[in-house]
């Protein structure tokens, strides 16, 4: 491996608890000078908040080392809104994630029409029927409006157990509107391509390290990367049952702490 992409939740930490040995493993990766980035589907908080969180866990990180769907989506929206006065976005996001959308023209949070883009991320317990129905009304009121998914993570491991992520809500809106979402996050090949471009290493020489068999492993393999599955976070032994050969990980390790010896 000449480059590594690390997932965050389930790999470096579980919610607010660092995974044992993560800081030490990443320090060894830095000492060896192996190019690496953090590639996460986290859309419940902005990139600066992730930098602060990693710092608390003894992992010094610059914002530019973290690739998130929020950052990718904000750039995608700014490009499409340039010179188009009416192309407003409706953001279905947690408040902590909105900072990454600076410069994006957004509708008021109670608007039920007028959205060219409906952006759906992880709102956690803020999701309720009214919010989901409002997203549906925004899409239904304009046949040209675009549903934008900030990744398609199905669930993640929180402090109180497994919790739904953005994908189930995106799927509900796809079902109700008959539209397919534009996915700006894992497992989209374009998202992995963005990370690889930033890393500056050929995709075939880059390994994605994650705990999600679908978004991390399957997505990376389909984008031409290698993939390493960790037995932490949401991993369950049954995850490997019935996985197509092309989507299977190149290696399965117990934890990120085992990566430096494996990689070197």
């Amino acid at each position: 491996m000449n480059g590594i992409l690390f997932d965050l939740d389930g790999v470096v930490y579980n919610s607010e608890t660092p995974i044992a040995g993560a800081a030490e493993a990443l320090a060894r990766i830095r000492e060896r000078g192996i190019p690496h980035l953090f590639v996460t589907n986290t859309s419940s908080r902005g990139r600066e908040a992730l930098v602060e969180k990693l710092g608390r866990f003894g992992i010094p990180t610059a914002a530019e080392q973290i690739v998130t769907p929020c950052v990718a989506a904000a750039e995608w929206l700014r490009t499409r809104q340039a010179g188009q006065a009416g192309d407003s976005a409706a953001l279905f996001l947690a408040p902590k994630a909105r900072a990454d959308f600076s410069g994006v023209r957004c509708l008021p949070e109670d608007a039920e029409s007028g959205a060219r883009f409906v952006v759906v991320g992880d709102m956690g317990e803020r999701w309720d029927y009214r919010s989901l129905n409002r997203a549906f009304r925004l899409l239904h009121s304009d046949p040209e409006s675009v549903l934008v998914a900030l990744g398609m993570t199905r669930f993640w491991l929180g402090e109180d157990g497994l919790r739904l992520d953005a994908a189930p809500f995106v799927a509900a809106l796809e079902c109700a509107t008959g539209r397919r979402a534009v996915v700006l996050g894992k497992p989209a090949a374009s998202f992995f391509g963005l990370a690889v471009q930033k890393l500056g290493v050929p995709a075939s020489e880059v390994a994605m390290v994650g705990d999600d068999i679908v978004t991390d492993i399957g997505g990376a393999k389909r984008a031409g990367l290698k993939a390493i599955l960790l037995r932490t976070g949401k991993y369950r032994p049954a995850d490997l049952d019935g996985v197509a050969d092309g989507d299977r990980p190149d290696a399965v390790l117990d934890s990120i702490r085992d990566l430096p010896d494996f990689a070197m």
Side-chain angles (χ1 to χ4, degrees), residues 76-159:
W76 188 88
L77 288 167
R78 283 191 289 265
T79 298
R80 281 153 182 78
Q81 287 181 339
Q84 303 294 327
D87 285 355
S88 296
L91 304 181
F92 289 81
L93 299 168
K96 290 181 179 180
R98 290 177 176 266
D100 283 342
F101 286 83
S102 174
V104 174
R105 290 194 303 276
C106 299
L107 288 175
E109 292 189 34
D110 59 351
E112 294 192 353
S113 63
R116 183 70 173 86
F117 307 99
V118 176
V119 182
V120 177
D122 177 16
M123 289 174 55
E125 294 182 1
R126 292 178 179 82
W127 276 117
D128 56 19
Y129 177 81
R130 181 182 177 281
S131 297
L132 190 60
N133 199 54
R134 177 175 164 257
F136 164 71
R137 287 176 174 176
L138 285 164
L139 290 163
H140 188 70
S141 66
D142 180 0
E144 300 300 318
S145 61
V146 180
L147 174 60
V148 179
L150 300 183
M152 288 297 282
T153 301
R154 300 165 298 161
F155 57 89
W156 61 285
L157 181 62
E159 291 183 296

Side-chain angles (χ1 to χ4, degrees), residues 3-260:
I4 306 175
L5 303 178
F6 291 98
D7 186 24
L8 285 176
D9 225 315
V11 170
V12 177
Y13 51 72
N14 282 325
S15 188
E16 298 302 318
T17 303
I19 288 177
E24 293 78 8
L26 287 163
R28 290 180 63 190
I29 295 294
R30 288 195 300 273
E31 288 169 4
R32 294 296 201 281
I34 299 175
H36 62 281
L37 295 171
F38 299 101
V39 180
T40 174
N41 265 1
T42 297
S43 59
S44 59
R45 63 184 75 194
R47 189 162 57 169
E48 292 296 339
L50 293 174
V51 169
E52 187 275 332
K53 182 174 183 175
L54 288 168
R56 284 191 281 111
F57 296 156
I59 303 168
T61 309
E64 293 73 23
Q65 292 177 278
I66 304 176
V67 183
T68 74
C70 290
V71 173
E75 180 59 30
W76 188 88
L77 288 167
R78 283 191 289 265
T79 298
R80 281 153 182 78
Q81 287 181 339
Q84 303 294 327
D87 285 355
S88 296
L91 304 181
F92 289 81
L93 299 168
K96 290 181 179 180
R98 290 177 176 266
D100 283 342
F101 286 83
S102 174
V104 174
R105 290 194 303 276
C106 299
L107 288 175
E109 292 189 34
D110 59 351
E112 294 192 353
S113 63
R116 183 70 173 86
F117 307 99
V118 176
V119 182
V120 177
D122 177 16
M123 289 174 55
E125 294 182 1
R126 292 178 179 82
W127 276 117
D128 56 19
Y129 177 81
R130 181 182 177 281
S131 297
L132 190 60
N133 199 54
R134 177 175 164 257
F136 164 71
R137 287 176 174 176
L138 285 164
L139 290 163
H140 188 70
S141 66
D142 180 0
E144 300 300 318
S145 61
V146 180
L147 174 60
V148 179
L150 300 183
M152 288 297 282
T153 301
R154 300 165 298 161
F155 57 89
W156 61 285
L157 181 62
E159 291 183 296
D160 58 349
L162 295 177
R163 311 190 77 178
L164 292 175
D165 207 302
F169 300 96
V170 173
L173 293 169
E174 287 182 325
C175 177
T177 63
R179 266 171 257 186
R180 297 292 292 175
V182 173
V183 180
L184 299 176
K186 297 180 290 186
S190 59
F191 190 66
F192 284 104
L194 173 64
V196 168
Q197 182 181 18
K198 289 179 178 292
L199 202 58
V201 177
S204 61
E205 299 176 13
V206 176
M208 176 70 208
V209 179
D211 67 321
D212 190 312
I213 192 67
V214 175
T215 58
D216 294 329
I217 306 307
K221 296 291 288 186
R222 294 183 186 199
L225 285 68
K226 295 180 174 64
I228 298 173
L229 179 65
L230 302 186
R231 298 187 182 98
T232 51
K234 70 180 72 170
Y235 167 82
R236 298 292 183 272
D239 289 348
L240 292 167
D241 294 346
V243 175
D245 289 343
D247 292 345
R248 297 188 72 83
D250 296 284
V252 181
L253 303 179
D254 284 338
S255 168
I256 190 175
R257 65 173 175 265
D258 301 315
L259 184 67

